[in-house]
Amino acid sequence: MRARMSTLTAVTAAMTAGVLAWAAPAQASTVVLSQGHVDAVDVAFENGALEISVHDETVDPDVERDPADVVFVVKREAAMTVPDDPRYAFLGAPGATVHILPEVQDENLLWPGLATEEVEAGVFASDSIQVRVTRVMGPDGFSVFTTDPVGAPNVLVDSEDGLPDTITRPVGSHLHANWAFEKAGTYRIKIEATGILAATGNRVTSEPAWLTFQVQR
């Protein structure tokens, strides 16, 4: 019996060590970004396929990261009040708190962009591709919008009025917008890139990517 117990203990220890050895790299590889410029959605076209990565410019030299390895932090300093303006009703009730990573850079916050700079002209019809937000999981609404020179919003994504939402972008371009979260907590945002090949008329679509945002209280 003692020999059997020793054998079982050794097997259990080996299995545990194996699990820990597998789990540790995944945990260690997670990168938390809370300040500086990053393309949260960086679209490329390589070997006949569209791909989505995170272009991290918070480090020098800048690097491309797998979205699955990144947590974007929306610091508490991003909290502001929904204006008493019916054009901003998509953010919630006037006076409510909303957390916004702004279109214009704030040095204290994360400045997420959407880039198609790695996609060359002539590859896709109309030299454009679409970034589609297909699902949002979180404690409340999520939206992406730009503002014009007189302060009027142009809503690109609103998780509360039905998904998917599509952002059409020219190739070789770079966009900054306001990323708005209506309540603190964790948001998981599923996206994909799609376009029609100019040479064949065939549609190609990337593998879906999940972006994770942690909104601080």
Side-chain angles (χ1 to χ4, degrees):
M1 176 63 77
R2 183 172 298 171
R4 179 185 173 90
M5 289 292 289
S6 297
T7 301
L8 287 173
T9 300
V11 170
T12 302
M15 291 176 63
T16 301
V19 169
L20 290 175
W22 174 85
Q27 184 176 13
S29 68
T30 301
V31 176
V32 178
L33 303 177
S34 62
Q35 188 171 341
H37 180 252
V38 58
D39 289 325
V41 181
D42 188 21
V43 182
F45 183 70
E46 297 180 359
N47 301 318
L50 281 167
E51 300 175 351
I52 295 175
S53 63
V54 173
H55 185 192
D56 182 5
E57 294 186 19
T58 69
V59 293
D60 187 14
D62 52 296
V63 297
E64 297 286 341
R65 302 190 188 278
D66 186 335
D69 297 335
V70 178
V71 174
F72 303 100
V73 174
V74 183
K75 296 196 289 187
R76 56 180 57 88
E77 290 86 351
M80 59 182 63
T81 300
V82 177
D84 188 6
D85 182 335
R87 297 176 299 179
Y88 285 88
F90 65 94
L91 293 177
T97 298
V98 63
H99 309 260
I100 296 181
L101 295 176
E103 175 177 8
V104 178
Q105 186 171 18
D106 180 333
E107 296 290 347
N108 295 315
L109 300 175
L110 198 62
W111 195 34
L114 189 159
T116 61
E117 291 160 310
E118 295 186 58
V119 183
E120 296 181 358
V123 177
F124 289 94
S126 302
D127 275 335
S128 68
I129 61 171
Q130 295 77 46
V131 175
R132 302 173 73 240
V133 176
T134 61
R135 188 177 182 188
V136 174
M137 301 170 62
D140 211 324
F142 162 75
S143 57
V144 179
F145 66 99
T146 58
T147 50
D148 70 14
V150 296
N154 174 35
V155 181
L156 305 176
V157 176
D158 185 354
S159 68
E160 296 180 304
D161 68 356
L163 294 174
D165 281 341
T166 300
I167 303 173
T168 299
R169 295 297 301 155
V171 301
S173 70
H174 193 99
L175 172 71
H176 280 281
N178 302 284
W179 297 59
F181 306 83
E182 295 177 27
K183 189 176 291 184
T186 300
Y187 291 75
R188 297 262 292 153
I189 301 165
K190 187 179 182 182
I191 58 173
E192 63 184 25
T194 186
I196 297 174
L197 293 173
T200 63
N202 293 332
R203 178 172 292 278
V204 292
T205 301
S206 70
E207 292 293 324
W210 285 90
L211 307 180
T212 301
F213 286 83
Q214 181 64 50
V215 182
Q216 294 182 343
R217 298 185 182 281

